[in-house]
Amino acid sequence: MHTVLTDRELLESLTDEVELNLHRHIQIADGWQPHDYVPWSDGRNFGFLGGEDWDPSQTTLGETAKLALTVSVLIADNLPSYHRELGKSLRSGPWWRWVGRWTAEENRHEIVIRNYLMLTRSVDPVQLERLRMDHMTTGFRRAPLHLLDVLANAAFEEAASAIRHRNTAALNENPIVTAIAERIARDDELQSEFFADLISAAFDLAPDQTLRAVADRVAEFRVPTVALPDGRNSDDVLAEAGIYRAADENRLVFAPLLDRWKVFTRTDLGEAGEKARAELAHLKG
């Protein structure tokens, strides 16, 4: 029977791994600049400063691209909520430095998308601001999770976000949108790798406990959603547009990470771990 570690014991045991992965992440993550992706010379004032207010005829983006970018910027705008939820569990030493780094990277995503949308007049700025206010006022909260659940869930969430942005890039809307979406997707993938590496290290410490957390997070996984002005939610609309479909999660989100963690080939599991693995059998390739 495997020992069950407390969250504090796990925090302490994984601290060196966090430090190593933080240094690796910073070295690999390209220090790109949001302002480089915005065609500033195309900008002009809105009516408040004597220019021209937004009109639907000004947008050159297709509906799918506008929706995908709007959802992305609203999710990133809600960063204080996600920062708070992540920070509840990771508030010491290198853990806290990673939360700061992750938060800064997510904020960079919001900056580049919002600047692009506003400057190119791709969406109604008044409607976007109202959506932002509503989305952030509602906020995001979840039931308290143990450390391993937090890490596994974050690995899945970032993998899902990368898929959404890769599919946005694949629209080939225009070279700038493609470059923005690909750059954000790469960040998402690196962030997912960070959390996934910590889960790999946790498997070495507490295989049954870690697999239990992974199975629970797979069973309860939900991507962040945004309520749209027409009453629909972003899940349904993005699925219809082929940007992100929950039906693809088993193949594109869960299976690659389960393979990375050698879930179906591990020989170090006890009874509890085997039970958790059986719950994931439908994801075995």
Side-chain angles (χ1 to χ4, degrees), residues 66-77:
K66 285 193 290 186
L67 171 70
L69 292 175
T70 296
V71 170
S72 288
V73 79
L74 288 174
I75 290 174
D77 260 325

Side-chain angles (χ1 to χ4, degrees), residues 22-242:
L22 180 56
H23 286 303
R24 177 191 60 80
H25 178 89
I26 292 173
Q27 289 174 352
I28 295 174
D30 179 27
W32 62 279
Q33 301 299 323
H35 64 265
D36 287 335
Y37 289 77
V38 180
W40 299 103
S41 61
D42 294 347
R44 60 191 189 276
N45 290 343
F46 289 98
F48 185 77
L49 293 180
E52 181 185 5
D53 279 333
W54 184 83
D55 182 88
S57 64
Q58 295 167 356
T59 184
T60 60
L61 289 186
E63 290 302 314
T64 299
K66 285 193 290 186
L67 171 70
L69 292 175
T70 296
V71 170
S72 288
V73 79
L74 288 174
I75 290 174
D77 260 325
N78 213 4
L79 184 58
S81 292
Y82 300 113
H83 172 94
R84 180 192 64 237
E85 293 299 323
L86 191 60
K88 285 179 181 178
S89 302
L90 314 177
R91 297 186 67 89
S92 62
W95 291 95
W96 190 235
R97 292 198 297 277
W98 164 248
V99 172
R101 172 73 190 201
W102 176 86
T103 302
E105 290 183 2
E106 292 299 312
N107 189 44
R108 186 159 57 180
H109 299 168
E110 181 275 334
I111 289 170
V112 68
I113 299 174
R114 173 173 289 277
N115 283 349
Y116 175 82
L117 291 176
M118 292 297 97
L119 185 135
T120 60
R121 297 179 176 242
S122 295
V123 299
D124 181 346
V126 175
Q127 183 184 77
L128 183 63
E129 179 62 9
R130 287 172 176 165
L131 284 171
R132 186 186 75 84
M133 294 292 286
D134 289 344
H135 190 55
M136 291 190 67
T137 300
T138 300
F140 169 80
R141 295 184 184 277
R142 64 184 174 202
L145 296 175
H146 289 295
L147 177 64
L148 296 178
D149 293 88
V150 170
L151 299 178
N153 198 66
F156 292 140
E157 284 185 338
E158 293 301 343
S161 183
I163 291 165
R164 178 160 50 84
H165 288 114
R166 288 292 181 197
N167 285 335
T168 300
L171 293 171
N172 291 318
E173 189 67 30
N174 65 52
I176 297 177
V177 168
T178 298
I180 289 172
E182 286 180 343
R183 180 59 260 181
I184 293 176
R186 179 58 180 147
D187 279 3
D188 293 335
E189 289 161 355
L190 289 173
Q191 291 168 353
S192 182
E193 287 177 16
F194 182 96
F195 290 112
D197 283 349
L198 295 184
I199 287 292
S200 292
F203 265 115
D204 293 337
L205 293 172
D208 281 15
Q209 189 176 353
T210 304
L211 192 48
R212 178 70 270 160
V214 168
D216 288 344
R217 291 311 100 211
V218 167
E220 299 181 22
F221 185 70
R222 299 290 185 278
V223 294
T225 62
V226 174
L228 302 173
D230 60 7
R232 295 182 296 171
N233 67 60
S234 57
D235 289 355
D236 296 335
V237 181
L238 290 179
E240 291 172 8

